Amino acid sequence: MAGIDWSVLSGPYVSRRTLLNLAAASGAAGFAGWLTAHDRALAAPRQAVRASLQEAKQGGTLRLGFGLGQIPTLDPAQVTLGIVAGELLANIFSGLVQFDEQLGLKPDLAETWEVSPDGLQYTFRLRPGLTFHNGAPLTSEDVVYTYERTINPDFASSQANKLALITDIAAPDPQTVTLTQSAPYAPFLATACSRGPGRALTPVPRSAVEELGDEQFGLTPVGSGPFRILPETAEVGRGFEMEAFEGWYAGRPLLDKVVVELIAEESSRVSALEAGDLDMLDIVPPIGLEQIQQNGDLTVVEAAGTNWIGLAMNQARSPWDNPDARMAVAKAIDRQDFIDKALLGLAIPSVGPIAPAFAWVYRPPAEADDPQAFDLEAARALAEGAGLSGVKPVFISSSDEPRLAQVLRGLLLEIGLDLQIEQAQTAAYNERRTAGDYDMTILGSVVDADPDDGVWNYFHADGPSNSYAYNNPRANELADGQRRTSDQAERAGLLQELQTLVAQDAVYAFLYHEPDRTAFYGYVQGYVPIPEQRYLETLWLDQ
Amino acid sequence: MTQYVLRRLIHSVFIIWGCATLVFFLLRLIPGDPVIQMLGPEYTPEAAEALRRKLGLDEPLQVQYVRWFGNILRGDLGGSIASGETVTGAIATGLPKTLSLAALSFLIAIVIAVPAGVAAALKRNTIVDYAASVVAFVGVSMPSFWFGIILILVFAVWLGWLPATGYAELTDDGFVEWLRRLILPSLAIGAGYAAILMRFVRAGLLEVLGSDYVRTARAKGARERTVIVRHALRNALIPVVTIAGIQLALLLSGAVVVETVFSIRGIGRILVGAIFDRDYPMVQGVILLVAVIFVLANLVVDIVYTFLDPRIHYG
């Protein structure tokens, strides 16, 4: 990858304009045109947001309903769930950089950053006068401390692998962090340094970690974000309260307080919103969407999803080692029909693992290659050739999604496949899936900060989620290659090629992307939709 | 009596130890791996190995058992695998909620069941009896989570009288707020419980009303009210107390689903969540607690018998 100038990833802003220019320059005219149309569609609500910002009022408490039964930890380096990272951590902790509405990067704690032309050296310049919630100053030493804490094997952080390429990190002065990597790694800023998802390098204060200990720090963390957690209110299974942090670098957020209430049961969460016990839901469960939309007091805001879901077929087992058998399955599924029946029509068809939120690389189905386009006749012919008639594949399913399995079973009967659905409770399911003990299962990547999250892990032979024995040297090359290029247009090209390849190989029958929907009362103003993130500092209450 | 209670308590220790040991090993036999569960989408073989080592799950089972048991004897139930909590801490926040819920459900059940059962028995084969039977059947057949959702829709969403979910601390938020949050979930559990109790009150009372001493009491010229309350009902309550004890299980299992619907993290939800996460220390700790509660509740039931019926005594 010689000759590529990595410094285009330098900030204060890796903007959408840059991406558009890159797309136009690389000849992806259709893509550029689509981006522009997409912008126009988004323009109307954004104007509304801007108009209301002028009369923003300070004060009030926002009650946010969050769809988990318990929050295992709020320690960035130990959080494994994307929604906890993007929606809760993002408000307690600042990152070095943060996302804009199209998941482009803009400054957060780092005012500017530079990436050397060879892509190996990063230099972050922190804002002056930063402080943590406990009053301790936040300097480059804290970033170095955070790095050392995350990679400590005894600490066992699942984020450590995101820092594996770093060979050297230093704090030459209180405002400068420099780090060197052994190889270029394009997703680094988004997956390791961003506010929310970039948990690996989300600065934590040594003083608080040492005072509280790791366990307690996970329950009542001390960050540097717009809101400060109130330690006495934190309860693992109930939620917590956070108040506006007066010392936040961008000035105090508008809300006085945010109450995070955990309500795992979907129907109860929707009821609590409708009853007025909550002002906002983190994510609208599909089952409650219609009810909420019919309520004139409530607003639903939709952003593009960062996820993809498909039907995985285990190539370690016969007949799924035969590409024709897999393609027969893929072509037998009418995705829209599947979405209508299994998901109340509330998702969009997917042609591969590139999610719509990554506008710089995503192409809508009509414009993308679709080797798996629905064609029942072709599917039947392939199925016959591969001898699928009467085959009874073991389909494992977790208890969360019986409906998806049932609908798939119905659709695949059309090509003579008789799915044996084995329903397992989530923990047992995850163990079987990880061990590759299945013929088929529904799988995919959710809440990603960068397309790499949903690509390398799933389609590289060494990917930790690749429990279905997919190994195509060209796919490995593309998955590695997209990590090593800084030119986003070129990276987009590699990712698109990879998407087409894995669709042709029918690693999955690709099914759908789910949009990111949130809902709140009309008096909640100032919401800026950023896919799968909830930055609450812009919110205010018109009451 | 004292000797009897002591003997029972010693038995109890063995029962509880057996329970705890069984749970320790059974839990590790069921499929599912706490480490895979915890890492979720961030799973990599390297991260899994590091975490396994950190949690001590890479050690032989007998070593883990001995360490765990030794800690229990020192009063340390350990820390949750899935969260930063200690098991004792989780129980300390969860138990008051479940006990509040159970107590109020029990109260609601008694308040409904005893008068309804008495009325049904006294007005046997009349419209009152039939109506009570129908209500009881509906009550028993209605799943508590479904009834809970209906209660939320009616009282929280439509009428807006009560909050939909959550729990308020008696000490921090006051009695009224505590009751407002608890009334719907208690009703959801208590309704089914009341239905069962009512049937037993009715049957027990009918049997006693036909007995000789009731006839004697009436022959002495005692007022009907005195006959029913002082003589008949007291004896009729013996099977009811038995059932109430056994049904404690129903109260706790009802609590699991109702706690989920109403988003109250009591013991039931902590246990189910821990089982789902394969959070071994948490499951072991909570089941130990539940075993203790059951054993003690049965002991209490046996002692209550002696007060209700002087003919029963333990020597």
Side-chain angles (χ1 to χ4, degrees):
Chain A
M1 299 285 166
I4 293 165
D5 186 0
W6 277 76
S7 53
V8 295
L9 281 184
S10 302
Y13 205 89
V14 179
S15 77
R16 185 164 160 76
R17 190 169 299 278
T18 315
L19 302 178
L20 266 173
N21 290 342
L22 284 169
S26 66
F31 165 63
W34 182 79
L35 274 184
T36 317
H38 193 69
D39 270 350
R40 226 174 285 129
L42 281 174
R46 230 183 282 158
Q47 269 166 6
V49 168
R50 212 163 282 145
S52 56
L53 265 176
Q54 290 164 356
E55 40 182 301
K57 278 186 243 167
Q58 189 168 303
T61 298
L62 178 89
R63 295 160 303 166
L64 172 71
F66 196 77
L68 277 183
Q70 63 174 40
I71 300 175
T73 177
L74 286 167
D75 183 335
Q78 294 292 4
V79 166
T80 55
L81 289 175
I83 54 166
V84 174
E87 302 181 9
L88 300 179
L89 287 186
N91 292 294
I92 305 167
F93 290 90
S94 294
L96 292 172
V97 299
Q98 60 183 327
F99 293 111
D100 66 15
E101 285 162 76
Q102 277 77 39
L103 295 177
L105 298 172
K106 58 181 195 174
D108 197 7
L109 295 173
E111 212 160 23
T112 62
W113 63 95
E114 282 140 39
V115 185
S116 65
D118 62 3
L120 298 179
Q121 260 106 42
Y122 287 72
T123 307
F124 297 93
R125 292 197 202 288
L126 304 183
R127 295 170 194 272
L130 294 170
T131 58
F132 284 108
H133 296 158
N134 65 355
L138 191 167
T139 67
S140 49
E141 285 295 343
D142 293 292
V143 181
V144 176
Y145 166 71
T146 301
Y147 164 79
E148 285 163 356
R149 179 172 185 259
T150 303
I151 62 156
N152 179 358
D154 294 334
F155 183 52
S157 164
S158 62
Q159 303 299 309
N161 61 343
K162 309 220 160 72
L163 307 177
L165 295 177
I166 296 179
T167 54
D168 179 55
I169 183 165
D173 67 63
Q175 251 133 275
T176 309
V177 180
T178 59
L179 62 87
T180 309
Q181 304 202 333
S182 57
Y185 181 52
F188 179 67
L189 287 170
T191 59
C193 307
S194 62
R195 173 181 171 188
R199 291 153 270 173
L201 274 184
T202 291
V204 296
R206 180 199 289 261
S207 53
V209 171
E210 285 175 358
E211 188 194 321
L212 298 170
D214 286 333
E215 303 296 335
Q216 186 60 33
F217 186 81
L219 298 173
T220 57
V222 175
S224 60
F227 294 93
R228 189 181 79 90
I229 198 163
L230 297 169
E232 63 279 10
T233 63
E235 208 181 301
V236 170
R238 191 170 172 190
F240 58 86
E241 294 176 13
M242 44 190 185
E243 64 171 16
F245 176 42
E246 302 281 347
W248 190 46
Y249 68 79
R252 181 195 190 281
L254 294 162
L255 294 165
D256 285 342
K257 210 191 220 189
V258 176
V259 177
V260 177
E261 261 189 62
L262 304 186
I263 308 179
E265 174 63 31
E266 290 181 347
S267 69
S268 307
R269 200 155 73 244
V270 173
S271 292
L273 180 70
E274 287 217 286
D277 295 353
L278 300 172
D279 304 306
M280 179 173 178
L281 283 192
D282 64 329
I283 292 171
V284 180
I287 200 161
L289 183 64
E290 200 185 336
Q291 196 182 334
I292 290 176
Q293 278 170 336
Q294 281 169 357
N295 185 330
D297 298 335
L298 292 166
T299 312
V300 176
V301 177
E302 191 172 301
T306 64
N307 56 71
W308 63 269
I309 302 293
L311 172 67
M313 290 163 271
N314 190 353
Q315 303 179 21
R317 297 199 190 189
S318 175
W320 310 111
D321 50 345
N322 177 356
D324 284 351
R326 303 195 300 268
M327 189 53 93
V329 169
K331 289 183 102 42
I333 299 168
D334 178 349
R335 297 175 190 121
Q336 192 57 54
D337 186 35
F338 171 79
I339 290 166
D340 290 343
K341 286 177 178 154
L343 300 156
L344 312 165
L346 296 175
I348 62 170
S350 150
V351 299
I354 298 173
F358 305 111
W360 56 274
V361 52
Y362 175 75
R363 287 181 298 181
E367 289 166 36
D369 294 324
D370 187 6
Q372 303 187 348
F374 174 59
D375 184 343
L376 198 51
E377 286 317 306
R380 283 196 178 118
L382 283 167
E384 204 180 309
L388 289 192
S389 178
V391 168
K392 298 184 172 182
V394 173
F395 178 102
I396 59 166
S397 167
S398 73
S399 39
D400 310 337
E401 52 191 40
R403 200 183 169 96
L404 302 189
Q406 292 298 340
V407 173
L408 271 180
R409 182 165 194 279
L411 295 176
L412 292 178
L413 277 173
E414 294 286 332
I415 55 166
L417 273 182
D418 185 6
L419 257 56
Q420 304 297 301
I421 299 174
E422 294 185 11
Q423 192 95 1
Q425 193 265 318
T426 314
Y429 166 82
N430 284 340
E431 190 178 50
R432 280 187 75 175
R433 178 176 54 72
T434 309
D437 178 16
Y438 62 90
D439 287 315
M440 290 181 174
T441 190
I442 286 185
L443 189 58
S445 190
V446 295
V447 204
D448 296 342
D450 183 280
D452 180 68
D453 289 335
V455 166
W456 200 94
N457 293 346
Y458 293 80
F459 302 106
H460 194 285
D462 296 331
S465 301
N466 181 352
S467 57
Y468 30 82
Y470 178 57
N471 187 357
N472 179 333
R474 179 63 186 151
N476 297 342
E477 223 173 274
L478 289 165
D480 284 333
Q482 59 84 22
R483 283 185 162 185
R484 297 214 183 100
T485 176
S486 64
D487 183 328
Q488 242 162 338
E490 185 185 329
R491 200 174 163 221
L494 294 175
L495 284 165
Q496 282 155 357
E497 191 187 334
L498 178 62
Q499 163 158 292
T500 306
L501 180 65
V502 298
Q504 276 163 353
D505 284 348
V507 187
Y508 285 75
F510 290 99
L511 296 172
Y512 65 93
H513 305 287
E514 203 170 344
D516 171 30
R517 299 186 186 91
T518 187
F520 40 76
Y521 277 92
Y523 55 77
V524 177
Q525 298 279 320
Y527 180 71
V528 180
I530 301 171
E532 325 265 13
Q533 313 292 313
R534 304 284 180 270
Y535 293 178
L536 301 179
E537 70 271 13
T538 58
L539 293 191
W540 58 281
L541 304 178
D542 187 14
Q543 278 175 322
Chain B
M1 185 73 181
T2 317
Q3 243 189 357
Y4 169 78
V5 172
L6 265 178
R7 212 166 52 229
R8 283 284 300 265
L9 282 176
I10 291 167
H11 283 176
S12 305
V13 170
F14 282 97
I15 293 172
I16 291 165
W17 170 76
C19 231
T21 304
L22 205 63
V23 166
F24 183 94
F25 289 101
L26 279 182
L27 200 54
R28 284 159 175 80
L29 279 181
I30 56 172
D33 177 346
V35 168
I36 293 177
Q37 213 41 29
M38 250 186 98
L39 289 171
E42 300 290 332
Y43 171 87
T44 59
E46 300 77 41
E49 196 197 327
L51 194 55
R52 216 177 292 283
R53 203 166 341 106
K54 182 182 172 186
L55 296 171
L57 293 171
D58 56 340
E59 291 179 282
L61 212 51
Q62 62 274 22
V63 175
Q64 293 184 42
Y65 176 73
V66 169
R67 180 156 23 86
W68 177 69
F69 202 73
N71 287 341
I72 285 192
L73 293 181
R74 280 193 296 274
D76 176 11
L77 292 177
S80 158
I81 291 180
S83 77
E85 288 177 298
T86 61
V87 174
T88 322
I91 288 175
T93 61
L95 193 59
K97 295 173 185 155
T98 300
L99 288 183
S100 301
L101 198 54
L104 196 59
S105 310
F106 189 70
L107 191 71
I108 288 174
I110 295 286
V111 166
I112 299 173
V114 173
V118 170
L122 295 182
K123 312 271 182 202
R124 186 148 66 123
N125 296 335
T126 66
I127 185 82
V128 176
D129 188 18
Y130 296 141
S133 292
V134 169
V135 171
F137 275 121
V138 172
V140 172
S141 328
M142 208 163 41
S144 53
F145 72 89
W146 181 82
F147 189 44
I149 291 173
I150 297 297
L151 287 174
I152 291 179
L153 278 180
V154 173
F155 290 100
V157 178
W158 295 342
L159 298 173
W161 291 351
L162 293 165
T165 61
Y167 178 81
E169 298 292 341
L170 193 52
T171 45
D172 302 348
D173 310 290
F175 179 75
V176 174
E177 193 52 32
W178 174 81
L179 194 64
R180 269 167 50 83
R181 297 266 177 180
L182 220 49
I183 193 106
L184 293 184
S186 301
L187 209 58
I189 300 175
Y193 195 43
I196 295 169
L197 281 187
M198 189 227 118
R199 300 299 295 167
F200 277 90
V201 172
R202 179 186 176 277
L205 197 57
L206 279 178
E207 196 186 317
V208 172
L209 281 176
S211 64
D212 291 344
Y213 70 89
V214 169
R215 208 160 345 116
T216 312
R218 281 190 177 131
K220 281 197 309 189
R223 281 190 304 152
E224 186 62 15
R225 193 186 157 78
T226 315
V227 172
I228 303 294
V229 176
R230 286 261 298 277
H231 298 272
L233 190 58
R234 190 166 152 179
N235 278 299
L237 282 182
I238 288 187
V240 175
V241 170
T242 309
I243 292 300
I246 294 171
Q247 292 290 327
L248 195 72
L250 182 92
L251 224 58
L252 282 176
S253 62
V256 172
V257 282
V258 168
E259 282 174 3
T260 303
V261 170
F262 287 90
S263 200
I264 296 171
R265 190 168 176 258
I267 291 299
R269 239 188 68 203
I270 291 175
L271 180 59
V272 170
I275 292 173
F276 281 3
D277 287 341
R278 301 294 186 268
D279 187 347
Y280 296 152
M282 189 66 90
V283 177
Q284 287 155 198
V286 174
I287 290 199
L288 192 65
L289 173 82
V290 172
V292 170
I293 291 178
F294 264 73
V295 167
L296 290 183
N298 276 308
L299 185 58
V300 169
V301 164
D302 286 345
I303 294 169
V304 168
Y305 285 156
T306 61
F307 292 106
L308 284 174
D309 186 345
R311 286 172 300 185
I312 299 174
H313 59 91
Y314 308 107

